[in-house]
Amino acid sequence: MSHLIESVVVEIPAPAAFVWDVLLDYPHYPQWNPYTLAVSTTLEVGSPIDLTLPRPDGGEGTFLSREFIRVVAPPTLLRYDTGETFPGLLGVRDQVITPLGADRCSYRTFEMFTGKYADAVFAAQGAYVKQGFDSVAHALVARVEALSRR
């Protein structure tokens, strides 16, 4: 089975390259990103990307999701996946910035879950992931707008 979870598509009043830079400015994630609280990666294809996320049950603390960089194509696509981290499950996430002109772009993110455990993961965490993805999209707009006013 496979399941696709997609964020809302947001329009951002800034050039795609600027939004790309904000999206990959991982040291500042704690200032604005409600879903991905910290990121550690070199962004080299094949290297790990460690994502610190809030607990899906809303409880105290965080958990670490180790994934692997697959595509870095500035300023439009960042792709990473779970690799062999979870036997029986593959999650492939894309973050996509689409230029809509010189000073405007859109952002969306989505993840495809496939494998033996995709149904169970989607049932248990699909709503959590969707809410997280939507919160990142909206927070990215707010972050870019705030930085643009400086």
Side-chain angles (χ1 to χ4, degrees):
M1 260 334 216
S2 64
H3 294 277
L4 178 67
I5 301 174
E6 297 181 78
S7 75
V8 295
V9 177
V10 292
E11 287 192 22
I12 305 173
F18 183 78
V19 175
W20 176 265
D21 289 344
V22 172
L23 185 65
L24 271 62
D25 182 11
Y26 297 131
H28 289 102
Y29 266 33
Q31 295 176 8
W32 68 270
N33 194 320
Y35 181 65
T36 311
L37 307 175
V39 177
S40 177
T41 185
T42 64
L43 283 175
E44 292 179 31
V45 172
S47 71
I49 180 169
D50 292 333
L51 308 164
T52 302
L53 306 170
R55 290 172 39 122
D57 63 7
E60 291 294 318
T62 59
F63 74 97
L64 185 73
S65 177
R66 171 161 280 183
E67 303 190 22
F68 299 89
I69 300 291
R70 301 302 182 203
V71 177
V72 179
T76 59
L77 175 64
L78 177 64
R79 174 177 293 149
Y80 45 90
D81 66 44
T82 56
E84 300 296 320
T85 305
F86 307 105
L89 178 70
L90 177 65
V92 178
R93 182 170 179 195
D94 283 3
Q95 293 188 75
V96 179
I97 299 168
T98 304
L100 301 174
D103 294 322
R104 190 161 199 79
C105 63
S106 67
Y107 168 84
R108 67 186 177 109
T109 186
F110 54 92
E111 187 155 359
M112 176 68 74
F113 292 97
T114 57
K116 180 178 175 180
Y117 299 111
D119 288 345
V121 168
F122 182 77
Q125 295 190 7
Y128 162 78
V129 172
K130 167 69 171 150
Q131 180 182 16
F133 284 2
D134 287 351
S135 71
V136 170
H138 293 296
L140 180 61
V141 174
R143 177 69 172 173
V144 168
E145 289 176 340
L147 292 173
S148 296
R149 286 192 293 268
R150 288 185 178 176

